[in-house]
Structures are given as structure tokens and as C-alpha cells.
Amino acid sequence: MLFTQFTFAQKPFLFPKVKIQGISVEQLTPINWTVIETANGDLNNDGTEDLAVIFESNKITDETRTYGDNNTEIIKETQKPRILAIFFKDKLTENYLLSMQNNDFILRAQEGGKLGDPLNQIGIKDQQLYLRFQGGAEWRWEMGYTFKFENKDWFLTSAINLYFNQNTGDMTERVYDFKTRELFTTVGNLHKRDIANQKSSEVLYFSQLRTFKTFKKPWAWEIMPNVYL
């Protein structure tokens, strides 16, 4: 008797395409996905309330995620994938029109360490989209990113990275202004911000502004040697 062994390669997870328009969040939500965060506000300076949504899959699946740099996908995780979708509201029809779908940038529920889900906040203010994440254990981190729609694309305009010890308060905070190409660093103690902390500023060197397309996800941009944003 002859036995033939077949090896079937596991198909990679395929993200659904978010609907390009709809009158409500419910209409825009892909099948088998759930809305976990929303934000409303004017993102393109036309006086209407636009919409940013984070969807999460109802099913757990294997994902290969980028770590350490912006190009190499090196870690496989089993979790619920997430999607960030941004919609502009049409003044006449009041439909939400899809501006951007991103399947990578939003951290997943298992990527925050002992603190749990790292997704802290999504907001819209001054025609800008704000995303905030946090995680860690005794040593904790907070990451914040601000994107603005300009020249038909979403550009990273500023960011903040806070790394601190929950018990001692020892911390390093870096605030990035990509428009002025400045980096402001504070080193010291979280509980004594205005007393003994050392503050400095320096010029930021990078070739061009990052977008959702060129900035894969948090921790994936080595903006300086051994400094990841």
C-alpha cells in the first residue's frame, strides 16, 4: 500500500475591504467585525464631522507583525486583527466616504504586556487624528501619534514617547515635532517634572515625513540609533 503525504500551506489572513461609503457606522462595519473605538471631528477643514473608526475581528487568527524596524515582519502572533478606517463626511449626501484603511498601525489587544490592551485613546482635534497607546509592567511606556491630512495623504506631524518606572518614577520623555524637525527630551523623575529634570532639544534628521503607508506601526521606526518610535 502506498501512502502519499500532502502538505497544505496555511493561507495568510486576508483583511476585508472596508466599504467606500455609508450613512452610518453600522453600514460601514465589515461582516464578522466589531467597532471598538470611534472619534468624530472635522479632519479636512470643511466644517463637517468626519469619522475615524477602529474595527476588531470577531475571530482569533495568526498574524505576522513587524517588530524592530519598518520593513521586516518577524513575529507571528495569534490574536484578533484590527483595522483603522477614516471617513470624510459629504456635506450634501451626509454619506461617510472612505479616505484611508490601515490594517497594521493599531496595536492589538495582546501587545500591551501585563497592562493588557494597549489601545488608550483615539481622538480628533484641530483637524488632526490622535492615537494613544500604553503598556508594560513595572517599566511602562506611553506612545502618542498625531496625523494630519495634507496633500491628499495622512502625514505624521508629531509624536510623544514616555518610558517610566511605575515605582520609582524614573523616566525619559521624548516629544517629536516633525513639522519643525525638533526633538524635545526630558530625563529625570515623573513626579518631579519641574524641579530636577534635565531638558534638552535637538534637530531631528529624517528624509521625509512619514505616512500611514511608510510608518508600519508603533515601535517600528528607528528614528535614531537604538531609539524606536
Side-chain angles (χ1 to χ4, degrees):
M1 184 177 293
L2 298 177
F3 294 91
T4 304
Q5 182 177 358
F6 295 94
T7 302
F8 295 94
Q10 185 176 3
K11 293 182 179 180
F13 175 77
L14 297 178
F15 283 85
K17 291 185 178 180
V18 176
K19 292 181 180 179
I20 61 173
Q21 67 176 354
I23 199 69
S24 66
V25 175
E26 290 75 21
Q27 284 188 4
L28 299 168
T29 304
I31 297 174
N32 294 322
W33 287 69
T34 299
V35 175
I36 60 172
E37 292 287 347
T38 63
N40 293 92
D42 188 1
L43 284 167
N44 55 354
N45 200 26
D46 66 351
T48 59
E49 292 277 299
D50 302 312
L51 173 67
V53 186
I54 297 177
F55 301 109
E56 182 178 73
S57 173
N58 295 339
K59 300 178 180 179
I60 296 174
T61 189
D62 290 335
E63 272 196 289
T64 304
R65 299 279 282 161
T66 294
Y67 280 85
D69 62 61
N70 203 47
N71 301 305
T72 308
E73 295 180 341
I74 58 174
I75 292 181
K76 179 179 286 187
E77 295 180 338
T78 302
Q79 57 198 349
K80 292 182 178 181
R82 290 174 170 177
I83 294 172
L84 170 66
I86 304 175
F87 301 88
F88 293 140
K89 191 169 187 178
D90 186 276
K91 279 188 174 183
L92 297 178
T93 66
E94 296 191 347
N95 272 339
Y96 290 110
L97 308 178
L98 181 65
S99 170
M100 187 275 300
Q101 173 180 347
N102 181 280
N103 303 329
D104 299 304
F105 197 84
I106 301 300
L107 293 179
R108 304 341 187 195
Q110 304 300 318
E111 295 179 332
K114 290 186 177 180
L115 286 183
D117 193 337
L119 181 57
N120 184 34
Q121 183 184 16
I122 177 174
I124 296 174
K125 184 180 178 181
D126 299 328
Q127 287 86 54
Q128 298 184 101
L129 176 69
Y130 293 82
L131 297 169
R132 299 292 182 264
F133 306 96
Q134 62 183 11
E138 179 182 351
W139 280 97
R140 300 187 179 186
W141 51 266
E142 296 180 5
M143 308 283 280
Y145 307 90
T146 303
F147 288 87
K148 187 174 179 61
F149 186 72
E150 296 178 317
N151 299 319
K152 299 182 179 181
D153 207 347
W154 290 92
F155 290 93
L156 180 70
T157 57
S158 63
I160 183 171
N161 179 353
L162 174 62
Y163 185 61
F164 66 96
N165 187 290
Q166 176 67 12
N167 297 321
T168 66
D170 293 339
M171 66 94 170
T172 299
E173 181 185 62
R174 295 184 175 92
V175 178
Y176 303 83
D177 188 328
F178 296 104
K179 287 290 190 177
T180 62
R181 292 181 176 261
E182 292 179 288
L183 167 59
F184 304 93
T185 303
T186 303
V187 178
N189 193 282
L190 191 65
H191 310 304
K192 302 176 182 178
R193 283 179 175 267
D194 299 321
I195 301 176
N197 291 347
Q198 296 180 352
K199 299 182 180 182
S200 62
S201 62
E202 58 189 292
V203 177
L204 270 176
Y205 294 97
F206 56 91
S207 57
Q208 57 186 359
L209 291 173
R210 294 293 178 104
T211 68
F212 279 115
K213 296 177 183 177
T214 58
F215 187 8
K216 192 92 172 183
K217 63 182 286 291
W219 301 113
W221 182 6
E222 188 177 14
I223 191 166
M224 296 182 293
N226 298 317
V227 176
Y228 291 87
L229 180 61

